[in-house]
Amino acid sequence: MDSASRHTLGQHLQTLRQARGLSLSQLAAEAKVAKSNLSRLEQGDGNPTLDTLWRLARQLGVPFGTLVAPLAAAIDDAGASVQLIMQSRSGVPVDAYLMRLAPCHRREAEAHTAGTRETVQLIEGSLTVGPPEESRQLDVGELYTFASDRPHAYLSGDSGAALLVTIVYLPEPVAHV
């Protein structure tokens, strides 16, 4: 991420945090991020990982796309690149991303908020994706939808992978008693 993008992300992160009435210490503790790292991020000096950004978005109560929306460029993180393509403007939060994975790269994803569903479509290369007990190998053009409110992974093959990822943040179903 270039300097201008880091600065833009930092300002946006600070605005979201302050709008929710959270102190730097509160957000850092809740997101399990060192306070010094969060401070550097907000000042535009940090270079966050995708996992850090996901944890911050979750603790801020916003979709990942809302946190990274001001960025025009992809976020690169050790063999994975994620770029927000579009967010819904309707009542249901939906994010669409282009993700690229380096050859033979495994990306572990933490559980998203309760009720979240993810659809992955392989554009190029080869990919195994999903929660460990339900992972699926995709062929180019194939779609796979799974509950992403539990840990899941993306594993690219020898040629890497390019995929479209659509995340729908649905509220957790209400249990009927």
Side-chain angles (χ1 to χ4, degrees):
M1 187 179 317
D2 65 23
S3 177
S5 294
R6 286 193 304 270
H7 182 70
T8 299
L9 177 64
Q11 285 184 323
H12 187 58
L13 175 59
Q14 184 177 49
T15 299
L16 290 170
R17 176 181 60 77
Q18 290 173 342
R20 278 147 187 80
L22 295 171
S23 71
L24 198 68
S25 296
Q26 286 173 310
L27 180 57
E30 292 172 8
K32 296 180 176 65
V33 174
K35 182 180 173 183
S36 59
N37 288 346
L38 181 55
S39 177
R40 282 197 310 275
L41 284 176
E42 286 191 0
Q43 293 170 16
D45 293 333
N47 197 13
T49 64
L50 288 169
D51 290 334
T52 297
L53 293 174
W54 272 103
R55 276 183 270 147
L56 290 169
R58 184 173 183 170
Q59 291 308 314
L60 289 167
V62 298
F64 179 78
T66 298
L67 179 59
V68 301
L71 303 178
I75 300 167
D76 296 316
D77 181 19
S81 170
V82 176
Q83 184 170 11
L84 178 67
I85 299 170
M86 188 173 181
Q87 281 191 291
S88 70
R89 296 190 194 324
S90 68
V92 176
V94 179
D95 293 344
Y97 303 93
L98 173 62
M99 181 186 288
R100 295 180 187 276
L101 300 173
C104 302
H105 181 74
R106 182 175 183 87
R107 165 127 180 80
E108 299 284 340
E110 297 176 14
H112 304 325
T113 54
T116 302
R117 300 199 48 83
E118 192 165 317
T119 300
V120 174
Q121 183 171 28
L122 184 62
I123 300 170
E124 186 175 85
S126 59
L127 178 73
T128 301
V129 64
E133 64 281 0
E134 297 175 8
S135 65
R136 185 179 296 170
Q137 185 172 352
L138 299 182
D139 292 323
V140 172
E142 191 174 4
L143 293 167
Y144 179 40
T145 300
F146 56 92
S148 55
D149 56 2
R150 55 193 168 169
H152 51 285
Y154 310 83
L155 174 62
S156 62
D158 293 342
S159 61
L163 46 146
L164 290 175
V165 180
T166 305
I167 301 176
V168 180
Y169 300 89
L170 296 174
E172 187 171 8
V174 176
H176 297 284
V177 286

